[in-house]
Amino acid sequence: MKKIGIIITDPEDWTARALMNEARKKGFSPFALDLRAAEVDINATAAKSAARKSTVAFKIRDINLCDLDAIIVRDAGAGTFEGVSFRFDILRELEAEGLLVINSPEAIRNAANKYHASYLLEKAGLSTPKTIAVQSIEAALEAISGFEDAVIKPVFGYKGKDIARVKDGEIRFSDRKAEPLSLKANLQKLLEERGMLYIQKFIENPGRDIRAFVVGGTAIGAIYRKAASGSWVNNLSQGGSADRCVLTEEQKEIAEKASLAIGTAFAGVDIIENLTNNLNKEIYSCYSNAKEKSLVLEVNGTPSGKGIFDAWGINPAGYILEYIEQSL
């Protein structure tokens, strides 16, 4: 029986449980593993894996990770730089040992880093909101002035947290009140905390975005995510609601190309419908696609499957396990 490790931090997470259940249905032996409990013994010549002749022992409890056939990464866990880096190094090393790891550590890092993801999406010829990354307060103020309505996101943010919108000289955060300071002072504080600012033009939209789920290069379904009343952030974790979405052919192609550009085996691709009338090169980072009405916001390399299941009854976990079955 093939053994699959499912990397989680919350055993009650809907997607984690769905992956465990689907693995059993496919005849796999699944193990829920928290990578924060992993230990690595270098030069462990007496602890070789039965499956792989490794002199490094990767263990969680009494499980030798090299004895697994595949790993699915749902959540590797947040934390300090060294802790997170260590866990991703383990995934990279297990991949080098011959395990199938999905999503790959490289793909997860590509998706998690919004700045680098924007670069990869641009190089793939996909339309995204106009984006400028800066390291000085002067450059930040200039970019915001040019955009008129701007969004500042943490490069490694998640669940719609700590996003700022700047319009008419005022700054608003997605999940907290701005400090009673001037715009420049608030921006300076963000810059000092982050070391750089990732700034995008706010795209006028119908009060929703699209989360398309892609597995193995094919979009299997999508939902609209609608912002809560009085909010401009569509994330479900920020109070947004989900409705069924039928992708246009353009949107389906965009989602599939975005997943490929980031390198994900499965992904949640966030798309925004543009309502801006003046479709000119100032709106887009990819000028050749300026007539497109849908833009890629970002790609999530560890997406939840609950929203699309609740809306459509589509369980991405089944597709992911089928992909693994075909890949082993």
Side-chain angles (χ1 to χ4, degrees):
M1 184 179 288
K2 299 286 187 181
K3 299 177 181 179
I4 291 185
I6 299 173
I7 304 300
I8 64 172
T9 58
D10 178 9
E12 299 305 313
D13 172 69
W14 186 95
T15 306
R17 288 189 284 108
L19 289 167
M20 293 288 290
N21 291 336
E22 290 299 320
R24 293 189 187 98
K25 288 180 184 178
K26 289 286 186 183
F28 293 108
S29 179
F31 298 86
L33 302 172
D34 190 334
L35 210 55
R36 296 173 299 181
E39 299 176 7
V40 181
D41 186 354
I42 305 293
N43 303 122
T45 54
K48 291 184 179 179
S49 162
R52 296 173 177 84
K53 294 181 180 180
S54 175
T55 58
V56 181
F58 302 88
K59 290 188 175 183
I60 296 179
R61 301 187 303 275
D62 58 346
I63 298 171
N64 187 334
L65 300 184
C66 283
D67 284 337
L68 300 173
D69 295 287
I71 285 177
I72 304 172
V73 184
R74 164 58 182 139
D75 182 5
T80 62
F81 173 78
E82 290 191 9
V84 172
S85 180
F86 173 58
R87 294 192 285 277
F88 272 88
D89 283 342
I90 290 173
L91 292 173
R92 285 196 304 150
E93 289 151 6
L94 289 171
E95 193 174 45
E97 294 285 341
L99 272 74
L100 174 65
V101 180
I102 70 163
N103 279 310
S104 71
E106 180 182 8
I108 294 172
R109 278 178 164 167
N110 286 345
N113 184 331
K114 292 182 178 63
Y115 161 72
H116 188 58
S118 291
Y119 167 82
L120 293 174
L121 294 168
E122 162 67 15
K123 297 302 289 185
L126 289 158
S127 292
T128 63
K130 179 69 176 175
T131 303
I132 297 178
V134 302
Q135 298 183 81
S136 73
I137 188 65
E138 292 78 17
L141 289 168
E142 182 178 356
I144 288 168
S145 175
F147 287 160
E148 296 181 348
D149 193 350
V151 176
I152 305 173
K153 300 178 181 179
V155 167
F156 292 101
Y158 60 99
K159 294 186 177 181
K161 295 180 178 180
D162 210 22
I163 300 174
R165 183 175 175 185
V166 182
K167 184 179 181 182
D168 298 328
E170 295 185 0
I171 186 168
R172 294 168 54 201
F173 286 92
S174 58
D175 57 350
R176 60 185 171 88
K177 289 185 177 181
E179 293 190 29
L181 304 170
S182 67
L183 173 60
K184 184 176 181 179
N186 267 298
L187 292 176
Q188 184 66 51
K189 191 172 187 298
L190 281 181
L191 186 59
E192 290 171 358
E193 291 171 355
R194 301 176 185 176
M196 59 86 68
L197 294 178
Y198 171 87
I199 308 170
Q200 289 187 321
K201 181 174 178 63
F202 179 82
I203 301 300
E204 293 294 336
N205 62 83
R208 67 190 185 192
D209 66 15
I210 295 169
R211 163 62 63 87
F213 217 107
V214 180
V215 182
T218 300
I220 63 170
I223 55 173
Y224 289 120
R225 302 187 306 178
K226 297 183 179 180
S229 177
S231 176
W232 48 274
V233 178
N234 298 310
N235 298 67
L236 301 185
S237 56
Q238 293 296 324
S241 60
D243 286 324
R244 291 184 175 188
C245 169
V246 177
L247 297 171
T248 66
E249 284 302 312
E250 176 202 52
Q251 291 165 348
K252 184 175 185 293
E253 182 179 3
I254 286 172
E256 293 169 353
K257 284 185 175 179
S259 178
L260 178 64
I262 300 300
T264 49
F266 67 95
V269 180
D270 295 342
I271 297 169
I272 194 79
E273 302 160 284
N274 176 48
L275 293 183
T276 305
N277 293 322
N278 184 22
L279 295 178
N280 60 41
K281 68 180 183 180
E282 295 302 321
I283 304 299
Y284 297 92
S285 66
C286 181
Y287 302 158
S288 61
N289 293 334
K291 293 183 180 179
E292 292 185 12
K293 300 291 181 65
S294 299
L295 295 81
V296 180
L297 289 178
E298 57 189 75
V299 177
N300 189 319
T302 55
S304 169
K306 188 176 187 301
I308 193 170
F309 181 80
D310 288 346
W312 285 104
I314 295 172
N315 188 348
Y319 290 86
I320 294 169
L321 268 298
E322 184 175 338
Y323 175 87
I324 289 178
E325 192 174 42
Q326 294 171 354
S327 300
L328 287 174

